[in-house]
Amino acid sequence: QVQLVESGGGLVQAGGSLRLSCIASGSIGAINAMGWYRQAPGKQREYVAQSWRGGSTNYAVSVKGRFTISRDNAKRTVYLQMNSLKPEDTAVYYCNVDALTPTTTSYRTYWGQGTQVTVSS
């Protein structure tokens, strides 16, 4: 089993910053992609950013230039530094990882429980 625990959410004023963290634990053989999604009230979950083991990253257009994804492979942790936050960034933020476990022969996607980010105007 793979467990993901997010932290770092909270309430911040527009223009402020937050740093989210997500730690993966459990019977993990290897991790490839690690990423962040978000879901605002009444909306579908949407892609935010992703980081691959090889070092490449990708961002949604709406956050590019404001958010930075990074990872510490030794700690099995992915971070999301969020700067210049806007009220429209308000959402529950979920991390996900593509992991290989001793009982699987292919990478599977696992999700965390989410952390709330609220940006006030």
Side-chain angles (χ1 to χ4, degrees):
Q1 277 287 50
V2 177
Q3 295 84 40
L4 302 178
V5 178
E6 300 103 333
S7 62
L11 173 64
V12 65
Q13 288 189 332
S17 299
L18 283 174
R19 188 193 195 206
L20 306 183
S21 300
C22 174
I23 301 174
S25 62
S27 300
I28 299 173
I31 294 176
N32 187 9
M34 305 181 82
W36 292 92
Y37 284 69
R38 67 186 182 186
Q39 188 167 18
K43 295 187 177 181
Q44 289 188 333
R45 190 173 296 190
E46 65 174 5
Y47 174 89
V48 176
Q50 200 165 19
S51 167
W52 282 268
R53 186 172 56 193
S56 60
T57 58
N58 191 55
Y59 297 90
V61 172
S62 59
V63 306
K64 204 167 187 178
R66 300 188 297 122
F67 292 9
T68 302
I69 189 170
S70 61
R71 60 193 281 173
D72 184 328
N73 291 322
K75 295 182 179 179
R76 294 176 174 174
T77 301
V78 61
Y79 305 96
L80 187 67
Q81 177 67 45
M82 305 185 294
N83 298 328
S84 302
L85 282 161
K86 304 175 182 180
E88 50 263 44
D89 294 318
T90 295
V92 177
Y93 282 70
Y94 299 90
C95 80
N96 74 344
V97 301
D98 291 341
L100 198 61
T101 70
T103 60
T104 63
T105 56
S106 62
Y107 284 88
R108 294 184 182 179
T109 300
Y110 299 88
W111 291 88
Q113 294 299 307
T115 183
Q116 176 71 46
V117 171
T118 303
V119 184
S120 63
S121 57

